Amino acid sequence: MKKIFPAFHFFLFYFLLSQILVGQNQIVDSLLAALPKAIADTERITILGQLSEECYFDDILKYSHKILELAQKNKAVNAVSSKRIFLREKARAYNNIGVYYFTSSKILDALDYYQKGVLVLEKDSIDFELQNSLYNNIAAIEMQIQEY
């Protein structure tokens, strides 16, 4: 009976892992399918933002840099709602790049991107949840390097 129990856990772990990966693939696939159909740049940048958080770790930089390019292209947008979308997604891209570098043990690079994200959000108080996340990420790095 004792040998069945660990085998069951092993099976359950791999079953759940495969379900998570399949679910992630479906989300990414649907976002990738929606991207070429997006007409407005605000829709395109929002889809890229979702992709940058749902994609595999190795693709974070690819989608985040596309967000930054699209935000740069549309930096002169006058409509307030569109401008807020571009700024929020730009900050999210900086946060995701920071997470990528932090996970890759490039802590000072991560800190730089987190601070860039905070600067984007502090101007207009666009997304307090993202802003708090960036502050928490900065605090975690400062604690790690003991620079309080």
Side-chain angles (χ1 to χ4, degrees):
M1 185 75 168
K2 289 183 180 180
K3 291 183 180 182
I4 294 173
F5 192 68
F8 176 73
H9 279 117
F10 182 77
F11 171 75
L12 184 63
F13 171 75
Y14 279 103
F15 174 75
L16 292 174
L17 180 64
S18 68
Q19 295 303 309
I20 290 168
L21 293 177
V22 167
Q24 183 183 27
N25 283 342
Q26 290 174 345
I27 293 170
V28 170
D29 289 345
S30 66
L31 290 169
L32 287 172
L35 192 58
K37 298 174 187 173
I39 297 169
D41 282 348
T42 53
E43 186 181 0
R44 195 171 294 116
I45 200 166
T46 302
I47 293 170
L48 285 169
Q50 292 170 340
L51 265 171
S52 70
E53 291 189 353
E54 295 291 338
C55 67
Y56 291 110
F57 182 75
D58 295 337
D59 292 332
I60 291 173
L61 290 180
K62 176 175 72 171
Y63 295 122
S64 295
H65 285 297
K66 285 182 181 182
I67 291 169
L68 295 176
E69 289 171 14
L70 200 52
Q72 179 65 26
K73 176 184 158 193
N74 288 280
K75 70 179 183 178
V77 170
N78 291 329
V80 174
S81 62
S82 296
K83 187 174 187 171
R84 293 183 75 150
I85 290 170
F86 286 112
L87 291 174
R88 184 186 70 237
E89 295 304 332
K90 183 177 180 179
R92 182 173 18 180
Y94 284 140
N95 186 52
N96 290 340
I97 293 171
V99 168
Y100 178 87
Y101 284 131
F102 183 81
T103 306
S104 302
S105 298
K106 296 179 181 179
I107 295 171
L108 296 179
D109 291 333
L111 182 60
D112 183 44
Y113 279 98
Y114 292 146
Q115 289 171 337
K116 287 179 181 181
V118 166
L119 289 174
V120 169
L121 292 177
E122 281 183 339
K123 294 177 185 174
D124 288 325
S125 301
I126 296 167
D127 187 336
F128 290 114
E129 186 177 330
L130 180 56
Q131 190 172 4
N132 288 337
S133 176
L134 285 159
Y135 281 132
N136 285 335
N137 293 340
I138 290 169
I141 289 175
E142 288 177 346
M143 286 178 59
Q144 191 172 25
I145 61 175
Q146 298 179 353
E147 189 174 298
Y148 306 106

